[in-house]
Amino acid sequence: MSPSSSSDILIRKLQTISDIREAEIAVLKSIPIQEKDFSANHDLVREGDHPVYSFVVLDGLIGSTKYTSEGKRQITSFFVGGDIPDLHGLHLSVMDCNFSTLTPARVGFMRHDVLRSICDQHPRIATAFWRSTLIDAAMYREWVTNVGRREAYTRMAHILCELIFRLRAVGRIQDHIADIPITQAALGDALGLSTVHVNRMLQELRREGLIATTGSRMHAIDWPGLTHAGDFDTTYLHQKNPAD
């Protein structure tokens, strides 16, 4: 992937949530991005790290994760192409969670000193980055509600709706068909469910005619029905022009 196409993924994401002009786009295209490929289940950032880089997701799926003292994992959010999961690291001296690949992934690392300099010189870019972190916080709030108060069936429908909506917003998929090679164990860690329960909920969604799956390929064949089943309202994603 060329440097320009790397920045294009970031730019497209920021354009879905903020107003950036040609001048800011040119600046974003100039950011040096060091690309690297990772296999699934690799910790990109660990709790306690003092990073000097933030990374943009170029391909694949990243999760923010926390572990209990007993070693149990909770996935607290998913990140897709164009997201900068650890952007808050610009202003926090130590990381308080892990960011791990949930699928094979490509990411691009950007130096903090470069990003800080750009934010100081270009307020509109700083605003776009700030808005991105605020939307990340909104997603965390939605996930707390999803895991804490919704039934398992609704939880599963909701998380699938969110993934499909966000992938479509940045042009990673068309229609409502997504290749999501995430394990059922990872879905369980995101939803607070056992692997067996995850499997049952997916089967139920298939029986209801809401989704069809072939391997890692998932098709939301009844999108309105799936959003209703998942109690899914896109407001918390704060898209400029939300797609159906």
Side-chain angles (χ1 to χ4, degrees):
M1 183 179 291
S2 67
S4 60
S5 61
S6 301
S7 60
D8 286 347
I9 295 170
L10 171 61
I11 290 164
R12 178 159 184 166
K13 160 60 190 299
L14 293 177
Q15 287 177 321
T16 68
I17 63 169
S18 63
D19 294 311
I20 54 174
R21 301 171 181 172
E22 289 301 319
E24 287 84 39
I25 289 173
V27 172
L28 291 167
K29 284 181 177 288
S30 73
I31 297 175
I33 298 178
Q34 181 182 354
E35 296 181 23
K36 194 168 182 181
D37 292 303
F38 295 92
S39 59
N41 302 311
H42 180 90
D43 289 337
L44 301 170
V45 180
R46 293 187 176 93
E47 186 171 355
D49 282 355
H50 300 267
V52 296
Y53 290 86
S54 285
F55 68 90
V56 56
V57 182
L58 302 177
D59 198 17
L61 191 66
I62 307 299
S64 57
T65 63
K66 294 282 290 186
Y67 287 85
T68 69
S69 59
E70 298 174 340
K72 296 178 181 179
R73 181 177 71 165
Q74 178 67 47
I75 297 175
T76 57
S77 192
F78 290 149
F79 296 92
V80 302
D83 289 338
I84 313 177
D86 61 341
L87 185 58
H88 55 280
L90 279 173
H91 302 291
L92 298 177
S93 61
V94 61
M95 300 307 293
D96 53 50
C97 69
N98 293 2
F99 290 100
S100 309
T101 58
L102 301 177
T103 68
R106 178 184 295 118
V107 304
F109 294 95
M110 303 172 290
R111 288 189 58 87
H112 281 174
D113 55 356
V114 172
L115 295 178
R116 289 192 189 99
S117 177
I118 286 173
C119 289
D120 288 343
Q121 297 174 47
H122 302 277
R124 194 177 291 272
I125 293 177
T127 297
F129 283 165
W130 175 226
R131 183 172 171 82
S132 179
T133 60
L134 290 173
I135 294 171
D136 288 346
M139 287 192 287
Y140 283 125
R141 291 191 290 273
E142 187 69 23
W143 276 49
V144 169
T145 305
N146 201 38
V147 173
R149 289 299 178 186
R150 293 186 176 118
E151 298 298 324
Y153 176 80
T154 307
R155 283 185 230 174
M156 178 61 71
H158 188 280
I159 207 169
L160 294 178
C161 286
E162 182 188 290
L163 270 175
I164 290 171
F165 182 88
R166 291 170 63 194
L167 288 167
R168 288 188 72 219
V170 293
R172 308 306 282 178
I173 64 172
Q174 293 183 341
D175 298 321
H176 298 99
I177 304 172
D179 186 45
I180 309 174
I182 186 172
T183 65
Q184 292 190 4
L187 281 173
D189 287 347
L191 296 171
L193 302 173
S194 68
T195 304
V196 170
H197 210 167
V198 166
N199 187 268
R200 288 174 180 166
M201 294 306 99
L202 289 171
Q203 288 182 17
E204 188 170 344
L205 289 170
R206 285 192 290 264
R207 281 196 302 269
E208 294 289 332
L210 302 181
I211 67 170
T213 57
T214 305
S216 62
R217 190 176 180 84
M218 202 275 290
H219 182 192
I221 52 181
D222 181 358
W223 178 247
L226 188 63
T227 59
H228 179 74
D231 190 24
F232 182 67
D233 181 334
T234 62
T235 301
Y236 73 100
L237 296 171
H238 298 281
Q239 300 284 305
K240 284 175 56 186
N241 299 298
D244 294 331

